[in-house]
Amino acid sequence: MRRLSAGLTAGALLLVATACGSSGDEPSKGGGSSGGITTVKVGLIPIVDVAPLYLGQKKGFFKEQGLELEFTTAQGGAAIVPGVASGQFQFGFSNVTSLMVAQSNGVPVKAVANGIASTGESGEDFGALMVKKGSPLKSPKELEGRKVAINTLKNINETAVRASVRSAGGDPDEVEFVELPFDQMPAALDKGQIDAAMVVEPATATIKNQEGVEIASPLVDVAPDLTVALYFTSKQYAERNPEVVEKFQKAAAQSLAYADAHPDEARETITTYTKIPADVLAKVTLPKWPAEPNRASIEALMKLGRSDGLFKTDPNLDELLP
Amino acid sequence: MRGTNAALGVAGLAGFLAPAEAAPRLGLVDEEYVPPASRIAVALGEEAGDPAFWTALGDTLTGWALGLAIASCAGVVLGVVLSVVPYLRQATASTIEFLRPIPSVALIPLAVLLYGSELRSVLLLVVYASFWQVLIQVLYGVQDVDPVAEETARSYGLGTWARIRYVLWPTALPYVMTGVRLAAAVALILAITAELVIGAPGLGQRIGVAQTSQAVPEMYALIVVTGLLGLVINVGARAVERRALAWHQSVRGEVAV
């Protein structure tokens, strides 16, 4: 109760400070170890992207390193980033832009392993800018004055769509972006509440099922082989437990390589932690899972984020990236 | 009387289910996003066959019951203490009015900071939301004490404890019951919301997974479960209320009709 009232009076501004404080108080919390196996908590969103970790756990790659993963699935960054920053979760999964924004806001995050990359093939990516069947819109340029749905405003998908509009010769400031969760986009598009939607799987497959049309692959347009998301930890955890981080990195790299080489097994794993209907899952485009992040692509993303005004201070990639 | 009520209840439910089945079938809404009631029922049946569903239901009920118990006890004890000591009541009035309107959901990042995705995170949100429902009712209830009865008790030499027991408590009890009944519903809403957003185990988390998976019938099936849970909780709370207030005018009056 005392901690609650303290937190309340401190208010949202002090959230980050509280984060440092509470993890300082309880450095040993979570990450317990017994019999040579260290249990680490990983905060994830239950989507296609994180299949390699589930697969790697199943294949025993983490156990070989002496790690046991305990998964927590949340709806998004609202729960994962503060959880990792305060040491409640040891690792988390987040897109690159969110991590750069967090870092520029002074939240001490540190990427440890690659998450996912775009397939790099326009028209065959897991993320797509789509319009409904029969829409007159053919190019991102025509989105000026139209309503485009983005899952989180001022984040990676908005930046990417703005880049696509710009490179097609349009003015992204003329586009009306509205925030909508991915899972609600197919219905909103179908109803005509929005003119276009920036979706990722499995919503991409759902819209394709309705004969929706892809007018751009924004994540492909940002940079070749764009690194979209990363696994991360807090700076303090990385400093205090370098050996755990190293083990996680090794096992994650092995898991990513395995999942990339065995897409059918990855697809099978997805059924264990999501409820994606079988007919949709069969049509889902899997992302790429390279073992290493692509720094050049992240720099391109940072440049776009800067011109779209996402960062308070410039992100420091040397500190952020593994 | 009871039979008529039940019949009316069934008629009301049928009046709701029939359009829910017909609208998607007639193409008024897209079947893919609003599946007909029968398809939701099938998904509900599949859920019921999954042991993980029952574990989730148990997790949700644990969070709800613990949270409600903590909030009710704290609300009653604090409410009585604040009312008995007038200075305390005056000193805390503005703080209560400041804290009460803060939406519990806004505390999600704080809950995650303190407790991660454990039960304690859910409890923090549940207790915060339902505590005020009880506290405010207790404060009103105590204000309602008849000054003549209070003075009489004093002049008969009853001590503070005895006056709380025999004068204050019977007057406040109907209010407390209303508060707990409101808190029971609020606690359920917050338990599910916390699980949905934070990812603590429970029905809410299953709804979240179904949502991100585009498994629409499963999602609605789970939402129906939360609705049913709310119904059961309300019926239960009313039964407890009737029993606890069997002596009270309001309940006796209801029975006589």
Side-chain angles (χ1 to χ4, degrees):
Chain A
M1 207 51 205
R2 193 160 46 92
R3 286 217 289 188
L4 167 61
S5 47
L8 281 176
T9 31
L13 277 175
L14 286 178
L15 273 183
V16 176
T18 326
C20 308
S22 68
S23 62
D25 296 341
E26 302 156 51
S28 61
K29 195 173 199 177
S33 75
S34 62
I37 294 275
T38 310
T39 304
V40 290
K41 280 194 188 168
V42 188
L44 303 171
I45 312 169
I47 45 174
V48 175
D49 312 23
V50 298
L53 239 54
Y54 283 90
L55 190 53
Q57 166 103 328
K58 196 178 121 198
K59 285 272 160 196
F61 298 154
F62 285 90
K63 209 167 197 173
E64 279 166 30
Q65 297 292 336
L67 290 182
E68 168 85 27
L69 304 184
E70 198 182 307
F71 297 111
T72 294
T73 56
Q75 282 293 78
I80 295 175
V81 175
V84 172
S86 67
Q88 299 291 344
F89 311 144
Q90 281 71 52
F91 299 97
F93 178 84
S94 175
N95 79 62
V96 180
T97 301
S98 288
L99 289 178
M100 290 193 282
V101 169
Q103 194 202 36
S104 87
N105 283 333
V107 181
V109 287
K110 168 87 188 158
V112 292
N114 197 26
I116 55 161
S118 105
T119 62
E121 289 173 57
S122 202
E124 282 170 46
D125 197 15
F126 65 90
L129 183 60
M130 304 194 78
V131 295
K132 72 185 276 191
K133 181 188 173 187
S135 164
L137 302 170
K138 305 271 183 258
S139 147
K141 184 186 187 307
E142 294 160 38
L143 293 176
E144 289 180 357
R146 302 296 186 128
K147 244 189 218 176
V148 179
I150 301 285
N151 71 315
T152 310
L153 294 177
K154 299 269 163 215
N155 208 306
I156 185 164
N157 287 310
E158 184 181 330
T159 301
V161 171
R162 289 173 70 98
S164 291
V165 172
R166 219 178 278 131
S167 65
D171 180 1
D173 290 335
E174 295 292 312
V175 179
E176 189 191 340
F177 291 104
V178 292
E179 197 165 282
L180 206 62
F182 287 128
D183 52 84
Q184 289 169 29
M185 289 183 188
L189 199 59
D190 199 40
K191 281 257 159 218
Q193 288 155 345
I194 48 174
D195 299 299
M198 173 64 206
V199 284
V200 299
E201 295 291 5
T204 316
T206 307
I207 297 179
K208 279 183 186 157
N209 263 352
Q210 295 156 8
E211 297 169 58
V213 179
E214 177 169 343
I215 59 169
S217 297
L219 298 173
V220 178
D221 293 349
V222 169
D225 303 321
L226 174 72
T227 297
V228 176
L230 296 163
Y231 293 98
F232 69 103
T233 184
S234 72
K235 228 171 154 181
Q236 286 124 316
Y237 188 79
E239 277 161 16
R240 282 196 196 124
N241 304 281
E243 71 294 344
V244 178
V245 170
E246 202 178 307
K247 287 173 184 173
F248 183 88
Q249 277 170 329
K250 274 188 197 155
Q254 200 180 352
S255 307
L256 289 163
Y258 188 87
D260 216 31
H262 301 84
D264 290 338
E265 278 184 60
R267 225 177 269 269
E268 178 61 37
T269 311
I270 295 168
T271 60
T272 62
Y273 65 91
T274 75
K275 286 175 174 282
I276 300 179
D279 58 323
V280 176
L281 185 61
K283 291 185 185 159
V284 158
T285 305
L286 296 179
K288 285 276 170 216
W289 287 303
E292 292 294 327
N294 175 345
R295 176 151 179 154
S297 77
I298 296 173
E299 275 165 6
L301 196 59
M302 180 170 85
K303 215 171 274 171
L304 290 173
R306 200 188 288 144
S307 63
D308 290 336
L310 299 188
F311 311 124
K312 273 188 196 147
T313 56
D314 255 12
N316 181 344
L317 291 188
D318 290 328
E319 279 200 9
L320 182 66
L321 296 182
Chain B
M1 181 65 204
R2 183 161 287 197
T4 330
N5 267 348
L8 283 175
V10 170
L13 193 62
F16 167 74
L17 285 180
E21 177 72 28
R25 296 247 179 247
L26 295 174
L28 296 175
V29 291
D30 194 329
E31 203 168 317
E32 198 162 338
Y33 305 118
V34 189
S38 56
R39 229 181 117 205
I40 296 174
V42 171
L44 192 57
E46 282 164 14
E47 280 293 325
D50 185 350
F53 164 77
W54 296 102
T55 317
L57 182 64
D59 286 330
T60 299
L61 284 175
T62 310
W64 168 80
L66 269 178
L68 181 62
I70 297 171
S72 302
C73 292
V76 168
V77 171
L78 267 169
V80 170
V81 169
L82 289 186
S83 316
V84 174
V85 189
Y87 293 119
L88 267 182
R89 170 93 181 91
Q90 278 152 16
T92 52
S94 55
T95 314
I96 290 174
E97 289 312 315
F98 163 67
L99 290 176
R100 193 160 69 108
I102 295 175
S104 207
V105 181
L107 303 179
I108 283 175
L110 178 69
V112 178
L113 274 183
L114 295 177
Y115 304 125
S117 59
E118 292 170 30
L119 178 63
R120 282 187 292 175
S121 281
V122 176
L123 286 182
L124 190 148
L125 300 191
V126 169
V127 170
Y128 190 88
S130 42
F131 168 72
W132 305 111
Q133 311 283 341
V134 180
L135 180 77
I136 299 296
Q137 288 296 325
V138 173
L139 293 180
Y140 284 145
V142 175
Q143 266 175 11
D144 203 34
V145 170
D146 184 359
V148 176
E150 172 74 11
E151 284 308 315
T152 312
R154 260 180 214 278
S155 55
Y156 274 92
L158 268 67
T160 307
W161 180 243
R163 273 182 286 128
I164 289 177
R165 170 74 186 82
Y166 296 108
V167 181
L168 190 150
W169 185 243
T171 313
L173 192 59
Y175 290 86
V176 173
M177 282 299 155
T178 308
V180 172
R181 189 156 47 78
L182 294 174
V186 169
L188 180 69
I189 295 168
L190 263 299
I192 304 230
T193 309
E195 291 159 2
L196 183 62
V197 180
I198 298 175
L203 286 177
Q205 194 217 26
R206 272 180 93 80
I207 294 177
V209 170
Q211 257 174 18
T212 45
S213 300
Q214 308 251 300
V216 180
E218 286 80 2
M219 181 188 83
Y220 281 113
L222 289 163
I223 292 173
V224 166
V225 172
T226 63
L228 292 175
L229 214 52
L231 191 70
V232 170
I233 284 172
N234 193 44
V235 168
R238 279 194 180 279
V240 170
E241 193 175 13
R242 259 200 310 276
R243 190 155 292 194
L245 296 177
W247 52 273
H248 195 267
Q249 200 180 2
S250 62
V251 173
R252 283 189 311 182
E254 223 174 78
V255 174
V257 171

